[in-house]
Amino acid sequence: MPIRVDAYMAGGIARGILVRAGSLREVLEQDRVLTLERVQWQPLGGRSGPSSGVSIPIDDVLVAVGDDDPGTPIHASWHRIRLELGAYLVEGEMPTFPGFDPGRALTRPSGDFVLLRDVRVGPRASVVSAALAGPHALVNRYAVESVACDLMLGFFFPGAEMIHADVAEAGAS
């Protein structure tokens, strides 16, 4: 079954169909390139146009929104989160296991991408609220520049600035 993917990158958004079999997460975590067919390219601040196909280095993908089932964790506690990366503001909810304490957690995130649900993505510089991007997305955790959440997530997003939780609540409304 083909997977529709929106890949947000520094220069714009590539919307297309995933070429390879498997889930979007598998492709992002195992391959070094995201290959899409029937691509609609939308550069930032420019006009969109069609392209037959494109191969995107995984490191260039900031956010990937797919219409496949991401394998959402069962019994997860969900936390509102707001991320800034590249030209984008991303809002959504991040899962943790019940009782998760980031200061005592022995488990660390594996892979380059972090799952979010109820995701909204918009221009970072805009005063307009971000638009709904999809029921879930995978965010390149190494590209995140700032994080607003009720948890301290420094090891999830290394190098990102951590912002107090009430900022996340204000931005989510």
Side-chain angles (χ1 to χ4, degrees):
M1 184 162 134
I3 300 171
R4 181 107 181 102
V5 175
D6 293 349
Y8 293 78
M9 297 169 292
I13 307 164
R15 292 182 165 95
I17 305 297
L18 185 61
V19 173
R20 153 176 156 11
S23 71
L24 176 57
R25 178 172 216 117
E26 287 172 359
V27 171
L28 293 173
E29 296 294 351
Q30 296 173 4
D31 297 355
R32 296 312 316 151
V33 68
L34 174 64
T35 303
L36 302 176
E37 291 181 344
R38 297 183 298 214
V39 174
Q40 185 72 24
W41 172 248
Q42 183 176 350
L44 293 176
R47 294 182 55 200
S48 62
S51 174
S52 59
V54 65
S55 292
I56 306 163
I58 295 301
D59 292 341
D60 291 349
V61 178
L62 302 177
V63 180
V65 179
D67 65 359
D68 62 333
D69 179 6
T72 306
I74 298 173
H75 305 299
S77 296
W78 294 90
H79 302 270
R80 296 278 325 142
I81 190 168
R82 187 178 71 196
L83 308 170
E84 292 181 351
L85 60 164
Y88 306 102
L89 173 67
V90 179
E91 298 172 339
E93 294 182 340
M94 186 177 136
T96 63
F97 291 109
F100 175 77
D101 177 358
R104 297 177 150 209
L106 296 176
T107 59
R108 298 293 189 239
S110 60
D112 293 349
F113 290 83
V114 173
L115 174 70
L116 301 182
R117 77 171 183 188
D118 299 332
V119 179
R120 299 173 102 48
V121 179
R124 187 173 176 174
S126 177
V127 294
V128 178
S129 178
L132 184 63
H136 70 276
L138 295 162
V139 176
N140 184 333
R141 65 192 193 96
Y142 295 106
V144 173
E145 298 165 36
S146 74
V147 177
C149 187
D150 63 345
L151 297 173
M152 283 303 297
L153 298 170
F155 57 84
F156 272 92
F157 305 101
E161 174 188 10
M162 298 296 139
I163 300 173
H164 193 267
D166 62 359
V167 175
E169 294 165 4
S173 54

